Amino acid sequence: MINDEIRAREVRLVGPEGEQIGIKPIREALQMAIDLNLDLVNVAPTAKPPVCRIMDYGKFRYEQQKKEKEARKNQKIVDVKEVWFRANIEEHDFQTKLRNVIKFLNDGNKVKCSVRFRGREITHADIGQKILERVKTEVAELSSVERQPKLEGRSMIMILAPKA
């Protein structure tokens, strides 16, 4: 809240340079801000009495937006890539999918490895477990297991995260 939006009778006032001015009636604090051609901004509304600061609110908002933009620019977005395996996968297909898993981990993405079971294959969930365990051992130096292999419906899922 700024200027006339502040509804307290008296406020603890902080000057434009951060110096403590003391507890003042709201009218007097607002007049001091107007005299300095600045805004009265409520920085701690839950305090007793509320803490208000004399500052240039437009400049403050601009600085905040610059900081937020800089923080967004520096953050790394981690995607979750998914690689599907089948219960009766052949060796060459396994190696191809394993290369994709390695590529995704090197790019800094998480990888969701799934073994999809069709029909009566679900009765042999241990085969899917072995496939995921093999993937885990093949990429052990590149990744850490974020979620152990677990059967969910007709597919077994494991999530790998790249090592820092």
Side-chain angles (χ1 to χ4, degrees):
M1 292 190 293
I2 60 169
N3 298 334
D4 295 328
E5 296 172 3
I6 302 169
R7 293 285 166 230
R9 279 201 309 256
E10 57 183 22
V11 294
R12 182 176 304 276
L13 193 60
V14 179
E17 304 300 320
E19 70 278 1
Q20 295 286 333
I21 296 175
I23 297 173
K24 299 280 184 184
I26 189 68
R27 292 280 167 229
E28 190 177 328
L30 198 53
Q31 190 57 48
M32 288 176 73
I34 291 168
D35 291 344
L36 292 170
N37 202 18
L38 295 171
D39 299 308
L40 185 66
V41 181
N42 194 347
V43 290
T46 56
K48 296 285 186 234
V51 179
C52 292
R53 182 170 180 178
I54 297 173
M55 66 168 78
D56 185 353
Y57 188 65
K59 184 177 178 183
F60 172 74
R61 288 274 312 221
Y62 174 73
E63 294 293 331
Q64 288 283 74
Q65 287 173 344
K66 266 180 52 175
K67 285 179 189 172
E68 288 171 10
K69 187 176 179 183
E70 193 65 33
R72 277 195 305 270
K73 190 166 60 174
N74 291 337
Q75 75 184 3
K76 168 87 173 87
I77 290 109
V78 176
D79 290 335
V80 178
K81 303 286 188 174
E82 189 165 9
V83 178
W84 287 99
F85 295 90
R86 290 290 314 277
N88 56 352
I89 192 166
E90 292 296 321
E91 181 60 28
H92 183 265
D93 297 335
F94 179 83
Q95 291 300 326
T96 302
K97 291 184 184 274
L98 185 66
R99 270 197 308 274
N100 284 336
V101 170
I102 291 169
K103 184 178 81 173
F104 294 149
L105 289 170
N106 285 334
D107 289 345
N109 296 313
K110 291 183 181 181
V111 180
K112 179 179 176 182
C113 298
S114 305
V115 177
R116 187 178 277 167
F117 299 102
R118 287 163 67 184
R120 294 183 188 145
E121 291 175 349
I122 195 77
T123 57
H124 300 288
D126 57 315
I127 295 172
Q129 183 81 26
K130 287 177 187 171
I131 291 169
L132 292 179
E133 289 296 326
R134 184 172 168 203
V135 170
K136 185 169 40 169
T137 56
E138 295 274 344
V139 296
E141 69 277 352
L142 293 174
S143 69
S144 59
V145 178
E146 193 171 275
R147 196 165 117 203
Q148 292 294 333
K150 182 179 169 190
L151 193 63
E152 292 181 1
R154 288 205 156 275
S155 54
M156 186 173 284
I157 297 169
M158 172 178 72
I159 298 176
L160 301 170
K163 282 189 178 171

